[in-house]
Amino acid sequence: MKILVTGANGQLGSAVLRVPVEEGVQLIGMSRAELDITNEEHVKTVLETIEPDVILHCAAYTKVDQAEKDEMEAYRVNAIGTRNLCVVAEQLGALFLYVSTDYVFDGRATEPIDEWTPPSPIGVYGRSKLAGEQAVQQFHSKFFIVRTSWVFGHTGSNFVKTMLRLAEKKTELRVVDDQIGSPTYANDLAEAIVSLVKTKRYGIYHISNSGTCSWYEFAKGIFALKQTPPSIQPCTTAEFPTLAQRPKYSVLSHKGLHLNHFAPMRHWKEAIQAFLEIEKEDSHSE
């Protein structure tokens, strides 16, 4: 079985390529330079050459604030790029998995959001990712759509790495306390995604680590085991305005995983510790 992974150099794509797979399964990572998803003819040529059995579409335009100023590019990558992949995947008979986001919801919920909740994005990034979801549903017959939230991993930049970096320079940090969600460790998400495509339980899934927190509580969790943690103070979203509006509440319910008999996701605090241990090992081996 050949599994093609787009966005191979990204936070999630690189994690997927590290997932142990059984003999006979080949993970093929494709970077932006190797596969320009916005070029219809290039997509057709590359996919027809490789002939993958499964496509895990991890590549995306993810610059939330920049998307507000560069709407056409966000749609070109997240909507048109996804359509290009889907059309050829369908022709080849390849299963298709699209990674989406909590940003397809408006953040007005007050309880965990399940897979049957109608999307209502409030910004360009969320709307472009929803357009990608719609492309998958329109142009492919056997698909998985995986929505996730607050992803952190060992590649690229993310909230955990930012907090650790700032803590090296500052003794006090101020972190937003009025946005609630569920952190997701890229390694855990990658393993869950690979488990999905080994089945025919197609559909939409919400996958994050279990448990909920604010960004402030998330930061506290990151430094929980440090002997000399920085002082972390809560603040409001209004005190740190951004170009794009963020969902106030984006906790994802895991009904899809439960109903389809997949393993439950571990708590985000456990995931943070696993992440920090690997980061520590990597720093010692350098």
Side-chain angles (χ1 to χ4, degrees), residues 68-174:
E68 296 296 317
K69 298 186 288 185
D70 200 2
E71 182 175 7
M72 295 300 283
E73 183 64 12
Y75 274 91
R76 194 168 74 92
V77 174
N78 293 340
I80 302 305
T82 301
R83 179 206 63 191
N84 292 343
L85 287 166
C86 273
V87 168
V88 182
E90 179 74 3
Q91 291 169 354
L92 295 174
L95 300 187
F96 195 86
L97 184 144
Y98 173 73
V99 180
S100 192
T101 171
D102 57 312
Y103 277 73
V104 301
F105 299 108
D106 59 18
R108 295 179 184 175
T110 55
E111 59 184 20
I113 306 161
D114 68 28
E115 291 85 344
W116 292 273
T117 302
S120 53
I122 53 178
V124 171
Y125 169 64
R127 290 197 295 271
S128 70
K129 289 297 290 181
L130 178 59
E133 289 190 14
Q134 292 165 340
V136 174
Q137 293 168 315
Q138 290 165 357
F139 300 113
H140 208 282
S141 57
K142 296 177 180 178
F143 62 82
F144 300 88
I145 291 171
V146 172
R147 297 181 183 132
T148 190
S149 60
W150 296 21
V151 179
F152 64 96
H154 300 283
T155 302
S157 60
N158 55 65
F159 181 76
V160 180
K161 287 191 170 187
T162 298
M163 287 295 104
L164 294 172
R165 188 182 71 251
L166 289 174
E168 292 176 358
K169 305 172 184 176
K170 300 182 178 182
T171 56
E172 182 173 310
L173 302 174
R174 301 181 71 220

